């Protein structure tokens, strides 16, 4: 297969990471979870006791942060200064910190260059908030994945519960809506579909239905075929 870059964008809880990971495996591509990279920076600042909304404080420590993505049979591992933090970055409080640190232009510039470097070396599926609009504007295929806030909140609540974090549905829904507003209204790289994006609404879908829907799009738009079942 030729070298392809696929950009998947969308709001929090749309299932981007899960679907991108499944598609990458099916089509023999590398999955790049850009959200995990922002989460790693947020975790670093959180551990230092820094307010992730404090731009100057975050910038002051940004040069200390080393984020690395490693790939193996178990999938992607996120290393923060050499330590595997793949699970630590998924806690609810880190999600809140991430939405704050991700609006800082210097943080975005730092990670954007890293993400573009990854895309140059291999066929990849990269998901995030501004992949098709900023990071990979020339991607071979751009998908904007979305679902209703309620649907996304239910998925996120279930995901958190599986990790031992029990939160009321109304709180998760409020967090989703707050993050939607923050992501779509930020001055730098706001959340929005690229003009040439394929819009995919997965409201009401099962995971398998969403996977099948996206597989059909890849086959139709890129002429590729799955390499594994």
């Amino acid at each position: 297969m030729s070298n392809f870059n696929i950009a998947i964008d969308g709001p929090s809880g749309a299932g981007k990471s899960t679907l991108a990971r499944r598609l990458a495996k099916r089509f023999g591509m590398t999955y790049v979870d850009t959200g995990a990279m922002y989460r790693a920076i947020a975790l670093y600042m959180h551990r230092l006791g820094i307010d992730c909304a404090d731009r100057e404080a975050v910038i002051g420590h940004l040069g200390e942060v080393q984020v690395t993505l490693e790939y193996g049979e178990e999938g992607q591992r996120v290393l923060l200064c050499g330590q595997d933090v793949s699970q630590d970055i998924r806690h609810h409080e880190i999600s809140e910190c991430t939405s704050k640190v991700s609006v800082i232009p210097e943080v975005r510039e730092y990670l954007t260059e890293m993400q573009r470097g990854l895309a140059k070396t291999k066929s990849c599926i990269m998901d995030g908030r501004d992949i098709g609009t900023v990071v990979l504007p020339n991607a071979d295929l751009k998908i904007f994945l979305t679902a209703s806030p309620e649907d996304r909140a239910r998925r996120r609540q279930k995901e958190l519960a599986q990790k031992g974090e029990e939160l009321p549905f109304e709180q998760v829904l409020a967090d989703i809506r707050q993050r939607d507003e923050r992501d779509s209204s930020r001055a730098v790289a706001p959340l929005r579909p690229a003009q040439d994006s394929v819009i995919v609404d997965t409201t009401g879908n099962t995971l398998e239905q969403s996977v099948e829907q996206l597989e059909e799009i890849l086959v139709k738009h890129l002429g590729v075929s799955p390499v594994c079942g």
Side-chain angles (χ1 to χ4, degrees), residues 39-48 80 85 88-89 94:
R39 285 173 175 271
I41 290 180
L43 176 63
Y44 185 86
M45 301 302 165
H46 180 74
R47 285 177 170 176
L48 288 181
L80 175 60
V85 294
D88 296 341
I89 61 174
I94 302 306

Side-chain angles (χ1 to χ4, degrees), residues 4-15:
F4 287 116
N5 289 154
I6 299 173
I8 300 182
D9 291 307
S12 178

Side-chain angles (χ1 to χ4, degrees), residues 203-218:
T203 301
N205 280 9
T206 64
L207 174 60
E208 290 306 322
Q209 287 172 331
S210 294
V211 170
E212 290 177 7
Q213 191 175 2
L214 292 182
E215 282 185 359
E216 290 176 2
I217 291 171
L218 264 66

Side-chain angles (χ1 to χ4, degrees), residues 10-15 144-158 160 168-181 184 191 200-205:
S12 178
F144 191 85
L145 191 67
T146 189
S148 70
E150 291 77 13
D151 223 37
R152 290 185 281 127
R154 279 189 287 272
R155 295 173 190 171
R156 179 56 56 83
Q157 184 186 39
K158 181 179 180 180
L160 291 170
F169 175 76
E170 291 304 323
Q171 179 182 342
V172 179
L173 178 59
D175 289 344
I176 287 280
R177 286 176 168 157
Q178 183 180 56
R179 188 158 188 187
D180 284 353
E181 173 63 23
S184 61
L191 172 66
V200 179
D201 190 328
T202 64
T203 301
N205 280 9

